[in-house]
Amino acid sequence: ASYYSFLQGYEFDFEEPIRVFLDFAYPLGQAIYISLALVTLVVSRKILGGVMRRKIFFILIALVLQYSADYLFLYQQIQETWVAGGVSDYLYLVSYFVMTMALFNIRISDVRAKLVTD
């Protein structure tokens, strides 16, 4: 969806090779992160018996929110409707908050498991 929306009719400007690289690599990188989280979710269900399923799902939700925030920002920037403190900034705030909570969830539960086993 990102490539279709933002790179349709893209004109390569080789005077700025870093920009051309990032225009293509950034959406691909986010898709790889989400794909890895999906694969990990499926594998954890089969191998670990679903022990980490909720934690991985929480991280997957955070990654999807981050992708949505980036997509909305780029769309608004292209349409020249982006304003500071608007909806896209709020979505960034929510996505970073969810990612922080997902990472804290993993660390807190790991610490609890270590304390119980010790």
Side-chain angles (χ1 to χ4, degrees), residues 19-39:
R19 181 178 179 179
V20 172
F21 173 76
L22 290 175
D23 284 345
F24 284 91
Y26 189 68
L28 183 63
Q30 286 187 326
I32 289 172
Y33 293 148
I34 292 173
S35 299
L36 285 173
L38 280 171
V39 168

Side-chain angles (χ1 to χ4, degrees), residues 8-75:
Q8 189 175 14
Y10 186 82
E11 295 180 18
F12 292 92
D13 182 14
F14 291 109
E15 293 177 8
E16 298 180 43
I18 294 174
R19 181 178 179 179
V20 172
F21 173 76
L22 290 175
D23 284 345
F24 284 91
Y26 189 68
L28 183 63
Q30 286 187 326
I32 289 172
Y33 293 148
I34 292 173
S35 299
L36 285 173
L38 280 171
V39 168
T40 305
L41 181 68
V42 170
V43 168
S44 73
R45 184 177 297 170
K46 293 180 181 177
I47 293 176
L48 298 173
V51 174
M52 296 287 289
R53 191 173 134 236
R54 285 183 35 208
K55 297 171 187 176
I56 295 169
F57 187 71
F58 204 13
I59 290 175
L60 179 63
I61 294 295
L63 289 171
V64 169
L65 282 172
Q66 180 67 39
Y67 177 80
S68 301
D70 288 336
Y71 186 89
L72 180 63
F73 171 74
L74 288 174
Y75 180 79

Side-chain angles (χ1 to χ4, degrees), residues 52 54-63 66 94-112:
M52 296 287 289
R54 285 183 35 208
K55 297 171 187 176
I56 295 169
F57 187 71
F58 204 13
I59 290 175
L60 179 63
I61 294 295
L63 289 171
Q66 180 67 39
V94 170
S95 70
Y96 286 127
F97 176 75
V98 171
M99 182 59 79
T100 302
M101 291 295 103
L103 293 175
F104 279 148
N105 184 22
I106 288 173
R107 291 185 180 179
I108 290 171
S109 62
D110 292 343
V111 169
R112 278 188 210 148

Side-chain angles (χ1 to χ4, degrees), residues 72-84:
L72 180 63
F73 171 74
L74 288 174
Y75 180 79
Q76 287 179 335
Q77 187 66 28
I78 289 171
Q79 300 297 320
E80 297 179 359
T81 59
W82 180 83
V83 292

